[in-house]
Each structure stands twice: as C-alpha cells, then as structure tokens.
Amino acid sequence: MKQDRHLDAVDRRIVELLQTDASISHAELAEKVGASSASCWRRIKALEQAGVLLKAVRLVDPASVERQVNVLCNIRMRSHARDARASFEAFVDGRAEIVECFSMSGEWDYLLRIVVADVADYNDLLMNVVLSHPSVQGAASHFALSMTKYTTALPV
C-alpha cells in the first residue's frame, strides 16, 4: 500500500541518483548525498515501501537486440465498454513489442509505442495481430525517424 511521504532534500537526491544508476553501492550513494550507508539503506527501504521507488531494471540498447524501429500507433476502439477496454489492455500487456500504452483523451482512444526490428515486422503485427483484436476499430501509425531524447528519469 502506498503511503503519503514527504521527500526531504536527501530523499530527493537519492531518488535522482538511483534513476541515473540503480546499481550504485550504498556506500557511494551515501557519500554523494552526505549521509551514512545505513541511513541510505533505511531511506531506500522507506521509499520502496511508500511506493516512490519501484522495481530496478537494466536498460537495453535496442540496436543490440535488433529492435531499432519505434512506431507510435494510435488506436480507435469499437466500444468503450469496460469489458472491451479490459480485453484490449490485457492483450497489450501480453505483447512484448508494445512497450508503452496510454489511454488517451481526444480523437484516439489509446497510444501505443511499439518497438520492432523493421517495417515488415510492424506490418505483420499491425495487420495480423492488432487490427484483428475484436475491440479495435482502426489504427494510425507514425514511424520515428530518430530518437532525439529518451529518459526514464523523472524530475524530483
């Protein structure tokens, strides 16, 4: 259960540093924030329990796993009924190529970020998988030419 927790300056610095490098040692983190290693450990545990810090992951270079094509795909739903949305969201959750999904306001119902090896892979996914889902009425695709900024770090 997430708790309300005020972040002081040390907590904010810890969060900032861990977003940059989650593998930093408690000793190095403590040195950078001006606290003891034990204090940093306790603060990290408290931040995790409060739901401020989520799971730690390693970022993967897309080129090294042959996934260099980013597509932003707008989805229009046939129905906005709860079961249709739940079915579509479960479908999205089960597709590794779909790395982000946003429920949207406005003309389109969802925005997906899809990462694939090439245009042919995307065509196959779109035509044979996404558009075949019974909840999907239509889609519009936008291919990223390059990525000029990418970060997972939030301002704290």
Side-chain angles (χ1 to χ4, degrees), residues 42-131:
R42 283 191 300 275
R43 284 173 178 268
I44 290 169
K45 291 299 170 199
L47 289 164
E48 289 171 346
Q49 288 178 340
V52 174
L53 291 177
L54 305 176
K55 64 183 178 180
V57 298
R58 295 299 300 253
L59 300 178
V60 175
D61 172 30
S64 69
V65 293
E66 299 176 1
R67 297 288 183 263
Q68 294 179 269
V69 175
N70 274 280
V71 184
L72 300 176
C73 179
N74 291 305
I75 299 292
R76 183 169 290 122
M77 301 291 285
R78 291 186 193 282
S79 166
H80 295 98
R82 182 177 300 183
D83 60 334
R85 291 189 327 265
S87 172
F88 180 72
E89 290 173 11
F91 159 76
V92 165
D93 193 46
R95 297 303 307 197
E97 308 93 328
I98 303 172
V99 296
E100 294 181 82
C101 175
F102 300 92
S103 176
M104 304 296 290
S105 65
E107 183 179 345
W108 296 96
D109 299 308
Y110 288 93
L111 175 64
L112 310 177
R113 184 166 75 91
I114 300 172
V115 180
V116 291
D118 55 33
V119 174
D121 279 352
Y122 180 69
N123 183 61
D124 182 54
L125 177 72
L126 179 66
M127 296 301 183
N128 299 319
V129 180
V130 175
L131 292 175

